[in-house]
Amino acid sequence: MSIGLRRWSRSSRNLLPKMTEEVSSSAAAAAATATVDATKRRSLWPSLWRWIPTSTDHIIAAEKRLLSLVKTPYEQEQVNIGSGPPGSKIRWFRSASNEPRFINTVTFDSKEGSPTLVMVHGYGASQGFFFRNFDALANHFKVIAIDQLGWGGSSRPDFTCKSTEETEAWFIDSFEEWRKAKNLSNFILLGHSFGGYVAAKYALKHPEHVQHLILVGPAGFTSETEHRSEWLTRFRATWKGAILNHLWETNFTPQKIIRGLGPWGPDLVRKYTGARFGSSSQGSMLSDDESRLLTDYVYHTLAAKASGELCLKYIFSFGAFARMPLLHCASEWKVPTTFIYGFQDWMDYQGAQEARKHMKVPCEIIRVPQAGHFVFIDNPVAFHSAVFYACRKFFSSNRDFNTLAEGLLSV
């Protein structure tokens, strides 16, 4: 409209001399207003149209902000694991393309000659969840933490696995390619929850590389049949249970809810982290800075492209029971193992006790007070003591680690 007014004022200038100044002034004002409004629209629309406000760059930036809480210097790198096992034609690893894949890795400075500790996160998590542990552990280990393939800041190829065997191989083989790329051998392998399941399966296949296995609240030890859950059987018979079971079998993951909420997703994550590691924490609560940075980090890792998360229905049946339970492999165990559980961990340590009966290698089970499933966040000091005790044979000069710290329970 302002352009039409300017044209009209120029053609009618001789007829309406007194209106010229007013019209020109109004036109200029309208043009200026339109310009400002257009600028505002250009700045608003991209954020409004971006329903899921995240990206790989957002993940790495959030990771750096979270790890700014760690005092020990570290190196972050994207380790190229290729496009699949050498010579392999397996489509599920290569996904829909032959593009190289990368494993996001952080390595912390350590003393010369320190044993190497590789840390693997659980389902719905990533390596930044260990932010409360890196400083203490790096005093005694060369600490390396990774985002598994399809998680965190690692590559997120299309997930095309169609069976439990293929899904296990996705994680085990990609980890082995990462190990080769890093030229690692003789390391201590620590895995939490689903990461414990992967670590255990990896150690079963490649025991020659693992000096000691530490499984923290590991998932996947028993099947639904062995657990004989009467509550679950009754619940599945209800309409709510039937719906949830159907969603599980169709691979409806919790992350889909976060993505579906779009710009409201961060608020849901904020409520979860605020409750789980704040008001409902079994141990030490997060500080305001820790909570804020962890929330930001968790949101970006959950809302990014679905990839590794789609392993859920192939590894576990409804209720988080393993389809190929570790208990069935206990007699094949070749690596000394330490289990660590929080007192309030929803993962049952009795599965590890049952497995120990069949193991032919040294095995210890340690329970940590004032801690739930995220024992390393809930009670980091006690968790560190449990790890040091588990690895005491690697610290011959440090006798402080030869006895179990007060409060820890060996079962």
Side-chain angles (χ1 to χ4, degrees), residues 350-410:
Q350 293 178 346
Q353 286 183 312
E354 184 63 29
R356 183 170 57 183
K357 297 176 184 178
H358 306 282
M359 290 182 183
K360 301 171 185 177
V361 294
C363 175
E364 295 177 310
I365 303 172
I366 301 172
R367 299 186 69 199
V368 177
Q370 296 180 306
H373 189 52
F374 290 95
V375 53
F376 46 88
I377 295 179
D378 293 331
N379 193 345
V381 174
F383 170 73
H384 302 151
S385 295
V387 172
F388 295 145
Y389 178 76
C391 300
R392 58 192 179 276
K393 67 181 179 182
F394 301 104
F395 306 117
S396 56
S397 60
N398 196 328
R399 297 181 180 180
D400 293 340
F401 301 149
N402 289 337
T403 56
L404 202 61
E406 184 177 355
L408 298 179
L409 181 64
S410 178

Side-chain angles (χ1 to χ4, degrees), residues 53 70 78 283 288 303 314 319 388:
V70 180
Q78 295 285 347
D288 289 344
Y314 296 107
F388 295 145

Side-chain angles (χ1 to χ4, degrees), residues 112-138:
E112 187 72 26
S114 298
T116 298
L117 175 67
V118 177
M119 305 180 75
V120 183
H121 62 83
Y123 185 90
S126 34
Q127 53 82 10
F129 273 65
F130 297 115
F131 75 98
R132 275 188 153 186
N133 316 117
F134 290 138
D135 281 331
L137 296 178

